[in-house]
Structures are given as C-alpha cells and as structure tokens.
Amino acid sequence: MKKALTIAGSDSGGGAGIQADLKTFQELEVFGMSALTAVTAQNTLGVQAVYPMTAEAVSKQIQSIGEDMGTDAVKTGMLFNAEIIQAVSEQIVEYNWQNVVVDPVMIAKGGASLLQLEAITSLKKYLLPLAMVITPNIPEAEVLTGISIRTDEDKEEAAKYLYNLGVKHVVIKGGHDEGRDVSVDLLYDGNEFKTFTSKRIPTKNTHGTGCTFSAAVTAELAKGLSVNEAVSKAKHFIQAAIEDQLLIGQGHGPTNHWAYRKRMVAMR
C-alpha cells in the first residue's frame, strides 16, 4: 500500500487544501495522511478567516507519521509563516523524505493572502532545496523569482531561476496564461523543457485546482512513477476535474475529484 502525506491548511468549503489533497489521494488509490498547518473559514466566495497552528503542533503531527507509518511521498501546501516552513523542512530532513512536492500556496482564488510575505525567504532558503517538484502558477512564480511572466521565454527563465534554488523539477502551470485557448504547463528538469497542453475550459469553477494538481503529482510519485509520468497523469486528472463541473456555491466552485476515475471506469 502506497502512502502520501499532505502538510497543508484546511478548507472548510472542501474544495482546496487538506480536503482536496485527501480526496485526490483516495481517487488515485494512495493512502492519504495529513498534518494540518492552519484552519481556514472558507467557501467559494473567499477566505473569511485564517487560524494558523503553532510550528510545534505541525511538527508533532509530522513526527506521528514519521515514527510509525512513514510515507512514500510528501506534499506541502499552505504553510502560512516562516516558523511553520522551517519546522516542516526540519522534519523532511529528519525522516529523509525524497519525493517532496511543494505547492507554494500564496493567494486564494478570492485574493486572500495565504502566505506571509516574510515567509517567502524561508520558503526559498529551507524548503525549496528539498523539493523533488515545485508547482507554482504564474503569479506564484512571479513572486518567487521577481520575473514578470508574459511569454513562454519568461516561463523558461523563471523555471531556470527556481531550479537554481535547488529544486530538482519545476512545473510552472499555465492556467493564468491570458489570451490563449489552451493551458500549457512547463516542466523543467535542469536539462530540457517539456510542455503539457490541455484545452482551456471557460469556467469560474476552478477552486482548488492547484492543490488537486499537486496532490495528483504526489500520489503518482508515491506509486513509483517518474516526475514526467506523474505530471502527465496529474494533467489529465485535473482536466477531467475541471471539465465535469459540479456547480457548487455562488463563487469559484470546487472541481470534481471523482471525474477522472469515472472516465477510466467508463473506458474499461
């Protein structure tokens, strides 16, 4: 039985964060575990409040997993502050976890900040050198690199910058590309670039797409797939989740986490 650990915040609306990660792990037949970094009061309209855990509380949760069950892959999501980032990094080193996927969650769909600005330095210093994969969207990549991303060449430059921080594989997601009828994700492994393209779906129901995509990458790494294979499968997973809309809530609705499995069953 393959296992995956998500270290992230809770989304009371169920579309993102810990909830999205565990749903994704389950759909991809990986046993999911969690360490909670914060509780958010959140729905499709936005984030109403954030209640962070202490760094000690986060560490204790991770230790409980590390000392008993272990994990085949780790995903980090909303880490909120520098103290939590450093604590998480220390635990990853302590247990020598290698398949680490960093989703640098910074801003919620409604615009609420989910990472304190002073925490960005800690993220780059402590966590990114431990990452097998980092999965920023374009605004997140711009904040991390200081590069304004408007072209494919800008994406490549940002990917190289992040790789040089110690990340082994960089995936810059193309969901925020403007003026395109396709979404193009860029993967860089230090040697070559590879793109993953999907049709852009005109919808506002995209809450939790970043969490879900990175959780799918994590699940596939836990099962032994290469980064290239894991990203490819995650791209198909999130595409199905966006296309088969649930139409929940009045704002940015959640994606459909069971859509990919239903499609696979229908094809058999």
Side-chain angles (χ1 to χ4, degrees):
M1 172 57 62
K2 299 302 182 180
K3 305 178 293 293
L5 168 64
T6 170
I7 306 170
S10 169
D11 172 8
S12 55
I18 289 281
Q19 287 82 352
D21 295 344
L22 293 177
K23 290 173 185 178
T24 302
F25 293 164
Q26 184 76 9
E27 290 298 322
L28 293 173
E29 299 182 337
V30 169
F31 183 80
M33 303 164 292
S34 63
L36 196 64
T37 60
V39 173
T40 69
Q42 186 174 173
N43 53 28
T44 67
L45 298 174
V47 179
Q48 289 76 50
V50 177
Y51 305 95
M53 304 290 287
T54 65
E56 180 185 7
V58 176
S59 289
K60 288 294 185 181
Q61 293 175 78
I62 298 171
Q63 288 170 13
S64 293
I65 302 302
E67 293 174 3
D68 177 29
M69 305 160 78
T71 188
D72 298 293
V74 180
K75 179 214 157 170
T76 67
M78 175 189 175
L79 298 179
F80 190 69
N81 61 37
E83 292 77 19
I84 291 176
I85 289 169
Q86 190 165 350
V88 168
S89 302
E90 289 171 355
Q91 294 303 311
I92 290 172
V93 170
E94 173 70 21
Y95 295 107
N96 195 30
W97 288 330
Q98 299 298 311
N99 285 329
V100 178
V101 178
V102 175
D103 183 23
V105 176
M106 295 181 180
I107 301 172
K109 277 290 186 294
S113 177
L114 299 177
L115 180 70
Q116 295 179 346
L117 287 177
E118 59 268 27
I120 294 173
T121 299
S122 291
L123 184 74
K124 293 163 73 171
K125 180 179 180 181
Y126 296 110
L127 188 57
L128 295 195
L130 305 175
M132 177 65 72
V133 186
I134 185 174
T135 62
N137 58 31
I138 288 175
E140 290 163 348
E142 289 180 329
V143 171
L144 287 171
T145 65
I147 297 169
S148 178
I149 300 175
R150 297 292 179 269
T151 66
D152 290 338
E153 290 73 23
D154 294 337
K155 269 190 192 178
E156 292 182 358
E157 183 182 356
K160 289 178 179 178
Y161 179 100
L162 292 171
Y163 178 83
N164 288 332
L165 292 177
V167 180
K168 296 178 181 65
H169 300 81
V170 179
V171 179
I172 297 183
K173 297 172 293 188
H176 287 76
D177 271 335
E178 297 179 359
R180 290 189 173 187
D181 58 2
V182 293
S183 174
V184 182
D185 296 348
L186 178 71
L187 170 63
Y188 181 59
D189 64 1
N191 292 310
E192 61 181 3
F193 294 98
K194 183 175 177 59
T195 57
F196 300 83
T197 303
S198 60
K199 180 182 177 182
R200 185 177 298 277
I201 307 301
T203 177
K204 66 176 182 176
N205 297 309
T206 56
H207 180 55
T209 49
C211 301
T212 299
F213 174 82
S214 57
V217 172
T218 307
E220 297 306 324
L221 289 178
K223 294 190 303 194
L225 269 65
S226 68
V227 172
N228 185 76
E229 293 168 328
V231 171
S232 178
K233 189 162 183 179
K235 183 74 168 173
H236 290 296
F237 186 94
I238 194 60
Q239 186 71 12
I242 295 171
E243 287 180 350
D244 296 357
Q245 298 185 56
L246 296 173
L247 304 178
I248 292 174
Q250 304 170 62
H252 295 284
T255 63
N256 185 345
H257 289 92
W258 60 77
Y260 179 81
R261 172 175 50 84
K262 290 187 71 174
R263 291 185 180 192
M264 293 301 101
V265 170
M267 290 172 59
R268 292 173 184 168

mmCIF file with all atom_site columns, all heavy atoms in Angstrom, residues 10 16 18 21 44 79 86 105 119 135 159 172 178 183 198 203 213 222 226 235 258 263:
data_model
loop_
_atom_site.group_PDB
_atom_site.id
_atom_site.type_symbol
_atom_site.label_atom_id
_atom_site.label_alt_id
_atom_site.label_comp_id
_atom_site.label_asym_id
_atom_site.label_entity_id
_atom_site.label_seq_id
_atom_site.pdbx_PDB_ins_code
_atom_site.Cartn_x
_atom_site.Cartn_y
_atom_site.Cartn_z
_atom_site.occupancy
_atom_site.B_iso_or_equiv
_atom_site.pdbx_formal_charge
_atom_site.auth_seq_id
_atom_site.auth_comp_id
_atom_site.auth_asym_id
_atom_site.auth_atom_id
_atom_site.pdbx_PDB_model_num
ATOM 1   N N   . SER A 1 10  ? -6.551  23.571 6.156   1.00 0.00 ? 10  SER A N   1
ATOM 2   C CA  . SER A 1 10  ? -7.903  23.033 5.963   1.00 0.00 ? 10  SER A CA  1
ATOM 3   C C   . SER A 1 10  ? -8.787  24.058 5.266   1.00 0.00 ? 10  SER A C   1
ATOM 4   O O   . SER A 1 10  ? -8.755  25.242 5.594   1.00 0.00 ? 10  SER A O   1
ATOM 5   C CB  . SER A 1 10  ? -8.509  22.675 7.325   1.00 0.00 ? 10  SER A CB  1
ATOM 6   O OG  . SER A 1 10  ? -9.885  22.396 7.200   1.00 0.00 ? 10  SER A OG  1
ATOM 7   N N   . ALA A 1 16  ? -10.380 22.871 -1.614  1.00 0.00 ? 16  ALA A N   1
ATOM 8   C CA  . ALA A 1 16  ? -8.929  23.030 -1.704  1.00 0.00 ? 16  ALA A CA  1
ATOM 9   C C   . ALA A 1 16  ? -8.285  22.460 -0.442  1.00 0.00 ? 16  ALA A C   1
ATOM 10  O O   . ALA A 1 16  ? -8.933  21.802 0.368   1.00 0.00 ? 16  ALA A O   1
ATOM 11  C CB  . ALA A 1 16  ? -8.574  24.507 -1.888  1.00 0.00 ? 16  ALA A CB  1
ATOM 12  N N   . ILE A 1 18  ? -6.239  20.568 2.530   1.00 0.00 ? 18  ILE A N   1
ATOM 13  C CA  . ILE A 1 18  ? -6.211  19.189 3.014   1.00 0.00 ? 18  ILE A CA  1
ATOM 14  C C   . ILE A 1 18  ? -7.332  18.352 2.402   1.00 0.00 ? 18  ILE A C   1
ATOM 15  O O   . ILE A 1 18  ? -7.133  17.198 2.004   1.00 0.00 ? 18  ILE A O   1
ATOM 16  C CB  . ILE A 1 18  ? -6.346  19.172 4.553   1.00 0.00 ? 18  ILE A CB  1
ATOM 17  C CG1 . ILE A 1 18  ? -5.064  19.692 5.207   1.00 0.00 ? 18  ILE A CG1 1
ATOM 18  C CG2 . ILE A 1 18  ? -6.677  17.782 5.055   1.00 0.00 ? 18  ILE A CG2 1
ATOM 19  C CD1 . ILE A 1 18  ? -3.938  18.714 5.281   1.00 0.00 ? 18  ILE A CD1 1
ATOM 20  N N   . ASP A 1 21  ? -6.620  17.475 -1.192  1.00 0.00 ? 21  ASP A N   1
ATOM 21  C CA  . ASP A 1 21  ? -5.489  16.545 -1.270  1.00 0.00 ? 21  ASP A CA  1
ATOM 22  C C   . ASP A 1 21  ? -5.922  15.129 -0.936  1.00 0.00 ? 21  ASP A C   1
ATOM 23  O O   . ASP A 1 21  ? -5.593  14.171 -1.654  1.00 0.00 ? 21  ASP A O   1
ATOM 24  C CB  . ASP A 1 21  ? -4.388  16.985 -0.308  1.00 0.00 ? 21  ASP A CB  1
ATOM 25  C CG  . ASP A 1 21  ? -3.774  18.322 -0.688  1.00 0.00 ? 21  ASP A CG  1
ATOM 26  O OD1 . ASP A 1 21  ? -3.973  18.755 -1.845  1.00 0.00 ? 21  ASP A OD1 1
ATOM 27  O OD2 . ASP A 1 21  ? -3.100  18.920 0.158   1.00 0.00 ? 21  ASP A OD2 1
ATOM 28  N N   . THR A 1 44  ? -16.760 29.174 -1.433  1.00 0.00 ? 44  THR A N   1
ATOM 29  C CA  . THR A 1 44  ? -16.477 29.514 -2.832  1.00 0.00 ? 44  THR A CA  1
ATOM 30  C C   . THR A 1 44  ? -16.375 31.023 -3.054  1.00 0.00 ? 44  THR A C   1
ATOM 31  O O   . THR A 1 44  ? -15.879 31.466 -4.092  1.00 0.00 ? 44  THR A O   1
ATOM 32  C CB  . THR A 1 44  ? -17.557 28.948 -3.777  1.00 0.00 ? 44  THR A CB  1
ATOM 33  O OG1 . THR A 1 44  ? -18.806 29.611 -3.527  1.00 0.00 ? 44  THR A OG1 1
ATOM 34  C CG2 . THR A 1 44  ? -17.726 27.449 -3.580  1.00 0.00 ? 44  THR A CG2 1
ATOM 35  N N   . LEU A 1 79  ? 1.486   26.881 4.019   1.00 0.00 ? 79  LEU A N   1
ATOM 36  C CA  . LEU A 1 79  ? 2.364   26.792 5.196   1.00 0.00 ? 79  LEU A CA  1
ATOM 37  C C   . LEU A 1 79  ? 2.309   28.060 6.043   1.00 0.00 ? 79  LEU A C   1
ATOM 38  O O   . LEU A 1 79  ? 2.744   28.057 7.188   1.00 0.00 ? 79  LEU A O   1
ATOM 39  C CB  . LEU A 1 79  ? 3.796   26.496 4.769   1.00 0.00 ? 79  LEU A CB  1
ATOM 40  C CG  . LEU A 1 79  ? 3.984   25.158 4.027   1.00 0.00 ? 79  LEU A CG  1
ATOM 41  C CD1 . LEU A 1 79  ? 5.436   24.977 3.615   1.00 0.00 ? 79  LEU A CD1 1
ATOM 42  C CD2 . LEU A 1 79  ? 3.515   23.985 4.872   1.00 0.00 ? 79  LEU A CD2 1
ATOM 43  N N   . GLN A 1 86  ? 10.033  26.417 8.365   1.00 0.00 ? 86  GLN A N   1
ATOM 44  C CA  . GLN A 1 86  ? 11.291  25.888 8.897   1.00 0.00 ? 86  GLN A CA  1
ATOM 45  C C   . GLN A 1 86  ? 11.055  24.567 9.635   1.00 0.00 ? 86  GLN A C   1
ATOM 46  O O   . GLN A 1 86  ? 11.835  23.618 9.497   1.00 0.00 ? 86  GLN A O   1
ATOM 47  C CB  . GLN A 1 86  ? 11.951  26.901 9.833   1.00 0.00 ? 86  GLN A CB  1
ATOM 48  C CG  . GLN A 1 86  ? 13.377  26.515 10.222  1.00 0.00 ? 86  GLN A CG  1
ATOM 49  C CD  . GLN A 1 86  ? 14.143  27.663 10.825  1.00 0.00 ? 86  GLN A CD  1
ATOM 50  O OE1 . GLN A 1 86  ? 13.711  28.813 10.803  1.00 0.00 ? 86  GLN A OE1 1
ATOM 51  N NE2 . GLN A 1 86  ? 15.325  27.362 11.375  1.00 0.00 ? 86  GLN A NE2 1
ATOM 52  N N   . VAL A 1 105 ? 1.561   27.709 -2.075  1.00 0.00 ? 105 VAL A N   1
ATOM 53  C CA  . VAL A 1 105 ? 0.265   28.383 -1.959  1.00 0.00 ? 105 VAL A CA  1
ATOM 54  C C   . VAL A 1 105 ? 0.459   29.768 -1.340  1.00 0.00 ? 105 VAL A C   1
ATOM 55  O O   . VAL A 1 105 ? 0.948   29.889 -0.224  1.00 0.00 ? 105 VAL A O   1
ATOM 56  C CB  . VAL A 1 105 ? -0.704  27.550 -1.105  1.00 0.00 ? 105 VAL A CB  1
ATOM 57  C CG1 . VAL A 1 105 ? -2.019  28.302 -0.907  1.00 0.00 ? 105 VAL A CG1 1
ATOM 58  C CG2 . VAL A 1 105 ? -0.952  26.197 -1.759  1.00 0.00 ? 105 VAL A CG2 1
ATOM 59  N N   . ALA A 1 119 ? 7.650   35.129 4.865   1.00 0.00 ? 119 ALA A N   1
ATOM 60  C CA  . ALA A 1 119 ? 7.845   33.686 4.810   1.00 0.00 ? 119 ALA A CA  1
ATOM 61  C C   . ALA A 1 119 ? 8.450   33.232 3.484   1.00 0.00 ? 119 ALA A C   1
ATOM 62  O O   . ALA A 1 119 ? 8.972   32.125 3.390   1.00 0.00 ? 119 ALA A O   1
ATOM 63  C CB  . ALA A 1 119 ? 6.523   32.961 5.043   1.00 0.00 ? 119 ALA A CB  1
ATOM 64  N N   . THR A 1 135 ? 5.375   23.360 -7.915  1.00 0.00 ? 135 THR A N   1
ATOM 65  C CA  . THR A 1 135 ? 4.270   23.519 -8.881  1.00 0.00 ? 135 THR A CA  1
ATOM 66  C C   . THR A 1 135 ? 3.610   24.903 -8.779  1.00 0.00 ? 135 THR A C   1
ATOM 67  O O   . THR A 1 135 ? 2.412   24.996 -8.531  1.00 0.00 ? 135 THR A O   1
ATOM 68  C CB  . THR A 1 135 ? 3.205   22.433 -8.675  1.00 0.00 ? 135 THR A CB  1
ATOM 69  O OG1 . THR A 1 135 ? 2.656   22.573 -7.335  1.00 0.00 ? 135 THR A OG1 1
ATOM 70  C CG2 . THR A 1 135 ? 3.778   21.045 -8.839  1.00 0.00 ? 135 THR A CG2 1
ATOM 71  N N   . ALA A 1 159 ? 11.605  29.240 -14.633 1.00 0.00 ? 159 ALA A N   1
ATOM 72  C CA  . ALA A 1 159 ? 11.853  27.840 -14.299 1.00 0.00 ? 159 ALA A CA  1
ATOM 73  C C   . ALA A 1 159 ? 13.332  27.618 -13.975 1.00 0.00 ? 159 ALA A C   1
ATOM 74  O O   . ALA A 1 159 ? 13.680  26.908 -13.016 1.00 0.00 ? 159 ALA A O   1
ATOM 75  C CB  . ALA A 1 159 ? 11.413  26.931 -15.436 1.00 0.00 ? 159 ALA A CB  1
ATOM 76  N N   . ILE A 1 172 ? 5.772   25.012 -14.024 1.00 0.00 ? 172 ILE A N   1
ATOM 77  C CA  . ILE A 1 172 ? 5.047   26.283 -13.988 1.00 0.00 ? 172 ILE A CA  1
ATOM 78  C C   . ILE A 1 172 ? 3.741   26.078 -14.743 1.00 0.00 ? 172 ILE A C   1
ATOM 79  O O   . ILE A 1 172 ? 3.736   25.811 -15.943 1.00 0.00 ? 172 ILE A O   1
ATOM 80  C CB  . ILE A 1 172 ? 5.877   27.423 -14.601 1.00 0.00 ? 172 ILE A CB  1
ATOM 81  C CG1 . ILE A 1 172 ? 7.147   27.635 -13.784 1.00 0.00 ? 172 ILE A CG1 1
ATOM 82  C CG2 . ILE A 1 172 ? 5.045   28.709 -14.640 1.00 0.00 ? 172 ILE A CG2 1
ATOM 83  C CD1 . ILE A 1 172 ? 8.016   28.781 -14.252 1.00 0.00 ? 172 ILE A CD1 1
ATOM 84  N N   . GLU A 1 178 ? -2.922  34.447 -20.280 1.00 0.00 ? 178 GLU A N   1
ATOM 85  C CA  . GLU A 1 178 ? -4.016  35.233 -20.829 1.00 0.00 ? 178 GLU A CA  1
ATOM 86  C C   . GLU A 1 178 ? -4.050  35.150 -22.347 1.00 0.00 ? 178 GLU A C   1
ATOM 87  O O   . GLU A 1 178 ? -3.018  35.075 -23.009 1.00 0.00 ? 178 GLU A O   1
ATOM 88  C CB  . GLU A 1 178 ? -3.884  36.697 -20.386 1.00 0.00 ? 178 GLU A CB  1
ATOM 89  C CG  . GLU A 1 178 ? -3.990  36.880 -18.877 1.00 0.00 ? 178 GLU A CG  1
ATOM 90  C CD  . GLU A 1 178 ? -3.835  38.332 -18.464 1.00 0.00 ? 178 GLU A CD  1
ATOM 91  O OE1 . GLU A 1 178 ? -3.628  39.182 -19.361 1.00 0.00 ? 178 GLU A OE1 1
ATOM 92  O OE2 . GLU A 1 178 ? -3.920  38.613 -17.262 1.00 0.00 ? 178 GLU A OE2 1
ATOM 93  N N   . SER A 1 183 ? -4.225  25.624 -22.113 1.00 0.00 ? 183 SER A N   1
ATOM 94  C CA  . SER A 1 183 ? -3.424  25.805 -20.908 1.00 0.00 ? 183 SER A CA  1
ATOM 95  C C   . SER A 1 183 ? -2.161  24.970 -21.065 1.00 0.00 ? 183 SER A C   1
ATOM 96  O O   . SER A 1 183 ? -2.241  23.754 -21.259 1.00 0.00 ? 183 SER A O   1
ATOM 97  C CB  . SER A 1 183 ? -4.205  25.356 -19.666 1.00 0.00 ? 183 SER A CB  1
ATOM 98  O OG  . SER A 1 183 ? -3.390  25.393 -18.519 1.00 0.00 ? 183 SER A OG  1
ATOM 99  N N   . SER A 1 198 ? -3.452  21.349 -22.569 1.00 0.00 ? 198 SER A N   1
ATOM 100 C CA  . SER A 1 198 ? -4.853  20.918 -22.493 1.00 0.00 ? 198 SER A CA  1
ATOM 101 C C   . SER A 1 198 ? -5.754  22.067 -22.924 1.00 0.00 ? 198 SER A C   1
ATOM 102 O O   . SER A 1 198 ? -5.355  23.235 -22.896 1.00 0.00 ? 198 SER A O   1
ATOM 103 C CB  . SER A 1 198 ? -5.212  20.477 -21.071 1.00 0.00 ? 198 SER A CB  1
ATOM 104 O OG  . SER A 1 198 ? -5.036  21.549 -20.163 1.00 0.00 ? 198 SER A OG  1
ATOM 105 N N   . THR A 1 203 ? -14.713 28.566 -17.393 1.00 0.00 ? 203 THR A N   1
ATOM 106 C CA  . THR A 1 203 ? -15.495 28.314 -16.184 1.00 0.00 ? 203 THR A CA  1
ATOM 107 C C   . THR A 1 203 ? -14.898 29.071 -15.010 1.00 0.00 ? 203 THR A C   1
ATOM 108 O O   . THR A 1 203 ? -13.700 29.337 -14.979 1.00 0.00 ? 203 THR A O   1
ATOM 109 C CB  . THR A 1 203 ? -15.501 26.806 -15.842 1.00 0.00 ? 203 THR A CB  1
ATOM 110 O OG1 . THR A 1 203 ? -16.218 26.599 -14.616 1.00 0.00 ? 203 THR A OG1 1
ATOM 111 C CG2 . THR A 1 203 ? -14.086 26.264 -15.682 1.00 0.00 ? 203 THR A CG2 1
ATOM 112 N N   . PHE A 1 213 ? -3.988  19.390 -8.469  1.00 0.00 ? 213 PHE A N   1
ATOM 113 C CA  . PHE A 1 213 ? -2.938  19.012 -9.416  1.00 0.00 ? 213 PHE A CA  1
ATOM 114 C C   . PHE A 1 213 ? -1.693  18.523 -8.679  1.00 0.00 ? 213 PHE A C   1
ATOM 115 O O   . PHE A 1 213 ? -1.144  17.462 -8.990  1.00 0.00 ? 213 PHE A O   1
ATOM 116 C CB  . PHE A 1 213 ? -2.592  20.199 -10.317 1.00 0.00 ? 213 PHE A CB  1
ATOM 117 C CG  . PHE A 1 213 ? -1.418  19.957 -11.226 1.00 0.00 ? 213 PHE A CG  1
ATOM 118 C CD1 . PHE A 1 213 ? -1.576  19.277 -12.415 1.00 0.00 ? 213 PHE A CD1 1
ATOM 119 C CD2 . PHE A 1 213 ? -0.148  20.413 -10.883 1.00 0.00 ? 213 PHE A CD2 1
ATOM 120 C CE1 . PHE A 1 213 ? -0.485  19.041 -13.259 1.00 0.00 ? 213 PHE A CE1 1
ATOM 121 C CE2 . PHE A 1 213 ? 0.945   20.195 -11.707 1.00 0.00 ? 213 PHE A CE2 1
ATOM 122 C CZ  . PHE A 1 213 ? 0.771   19.498 -12.893 1.00 0.00 ? 213 PHE A CZ  1
ATOM 123 N N   . ALA A 1 222 ? 4.335   8.691  -5.332  1.00 0.00 ? 222 ALA A N   1
ATOM 124 C CA  . ALA A 1 222 ? 4.268   7.682  -4.272  1.00 0.00 ? 222 ALA A CA  1
ATOM 125 C C   . ALA A 1 222 ? 4.152   6.275  -4.856  1.00 0.00 ? 222 ALA A C   1
ATOM 126 O O   . ALA A 1 222 ? 4.676   5.308  -4.286  1.00 0.00 ? 222 ALA A O   1
ATOM 127 C CB  . ALA A 1 222 ? 3.081   7.966  -3.349  1.00 0.00 ? 222 ALA A CB  1
ATOM 128 N N   . SER A 1 226 ? 7.784   8.218  -12.652 1.00 0.00 ? 226 SER A N   1
ATOM 129 C CA  . SER A 1 226 ? 8.758   9.289  -12.813 1.00 0.00 ? 226 SER A CA  1
ATOM 130 C C   . SER A 1 226 ? 8.036   10.630 -12.708 1.00 0.00 ? 226 SER A C   1
ATOM 131 O O   . SER A 1 226 ? 6.799   10.701 -12.791 1.00 0.00 ? 226 SER A O   1
ATOM 132 C CB  . SER A 1 226 ? 9.437   9.181  -14.175 1.00 0.00 ? 226 SER A CB  1
ATOM 133 O OG  . SER A 1 226 ? 8.499   9.472  -15.215 1.00 0.00 ? 226 SER A OG  1
ATOM 134 N N   . LYS A 1 235 ? -2.048  16.083 -15.054 1.00 0.00 ? 235 LYS A N   1
ATOM 135 C CA  . LYS A 1 235 ? -2.659  16.995 -16.023 1.00 0.00 ? 235 LYS A CA  1
ATOM 136 C C   . LYS A 1 235 ? -3.995  16.429 -16.510 1.00 0.00 ? 235 LYS A C   1
ATOM 137 O O   . LYS A 1 235 ? -4.992  17.154 -16.609 1.00 0.00 ? 235 LYS A O   1
ATOM 138 C CB  . LYS A 1 235 ? -1.703  17.190 -17.207 1.00 0.00 ? 235 LYS A CB  1
ATOM 139 C CG  . LYS A 1 235 ? -2.187  18.183 -18.262 1.00 0.00 ? 235 LYS A CG  1
ATOM 140 C CD  . LYS A 1 235 ? -2.089  19.610 -17.795 1.00 0.00 ? 235 LYS A CD  1
ATOM 141 C CE  . LYS A 1 235 ? -2.299  20.588 -18.944 1.00 0.00 ? 235 LYS A CE  1
ATOM 142 N NZ  . LYS A 1 235 ? -2.377  21.991 -18.481 1.00 0.00 ? 235 LYS A NZ  1
ATOM 143 N N   . TRP A 1 258 ? -13.892 13.135 -8.522  1.00 0.00 ? 258 TRP A N   1
ATOM 144 C CA  . TRP A 1 258 ? -14.143 11.764 -8.975  1.00 0.00 ? 258 TRP A CA  1
ATOM 145 C C   . TRP A 1 258 ? -14.310 11.647 -10.492 1.00 0.00 ? 258 TRP A C   1
ATOM 146 O O   . TRP A 1 258 ? -14.531 10.578 -11.026 1.00 0.00 ? 258 TRP A O   1
ATOM 147 C CB  . TRP A 1 258 ? -15.361 11.153 -8.270  1.00 0.00 ? 258 TRP A CB  1
ATOM 148 C CG  . TRP A 1 258 ? -16.660 11.879 -8.476  1.00 0.00 ? 258 TRP A CG  1
ATOM 149 C CD1 . TRP A 1 258 ? -17.448 11.851 -9.586  1.00 0.00 ? 258 TRP A CD1 1
ATOM 150 C CD2 . TRP A 1 258 ? -17.332 12.721 -7.536  1.00 0.00 ? 258 TRP A CD2 1
ATOM 151 N NE1 . TRP A 1 258 ? -18.563 12.627 -9.410  1.00 0.00 ? 258 TRP A NE1 1
ATOM 152 C CE2 . TRP A 1 258 ? -18.523 13.171 -8.155  1.00 0.00 ? 258 TRP A CE2 1
ATOM 153 C CE3 . TRP A 1 258 ? -17.050 13.133 -6.238  1.00 0.00 ? 258 TRP A CE3 1
ATOM 154 C CZ2 . TRP A 1 258 ? -19.424 14.019 -7.507  1.00 0.00 ? 258 TRP A CZ2 1
ATOM 155 C CZ3 . TRP A 1 258 ? -17.953 13.975 -5.606  1.00 0.00 ? 258 TRP A CZ3 1
ATOM 156 C CH2 . TRP A 1 258 ? -19.113 14.415 -6.233  1.00 0.00 ? 258 TRP A CH2 1
ATOM 157 N N   . ARG A 1 263 ? -14.258 8.416  -15.614 1.00 0.00 ? 263 ARG A N   1
ATOM 158 C CA  . ARG A 1 263 ? -13.872 8.298  -17.032 1.00 0.00 ? 263 ARG A CA  1
ATOM 159 C C   . ARG A 1 263 ? -13.090 7.012  -17.269 1.00 0.00 ? 263 ARG A C   1
ATOM 160 O O   . ARG A 1 263 ? -13.288 6.327  -18.283 1.00 0.00 ? 263 ARG A O   1
ATOM 161 C CB  . ARG A 1 263 ? -13.048 9.507  -17.450 1.00 0.00 ? 263 ARG A CB  1
ATOM 162 C CG  . ARG A 1 263 ? -13.840 10.806 -17.516 1.00 0.00 ? 263 ARG A CG  1
ATOM 163 C CD  . ARG A 1 263 ? -12.973 11.936 -18.055 1.00 0.00 ? 263 ARG A CD  1
ATOM 164 N NE  . ARG A 1 263 ? -13.722 13.193 -18.113 1.00 0.00 ? 263 ARG A NE  1
ATOM 165 C CZ  . ARG A 1 263 ? -13.294 14.278 -18.754 1.00 0.00 ? 263 ARG A CZ  1
ATOM 166 N NH1 . ARG A 1 263 ? -12.118 14.249 -19.372 1.00 0.00 ? 263 ARG A NH1 1
ATOM 167 N NH2 . ARG A 1 263 ? -14.020 15.374 -18.758 1.00 0.00 ? 263 ARG A NH2 1
#
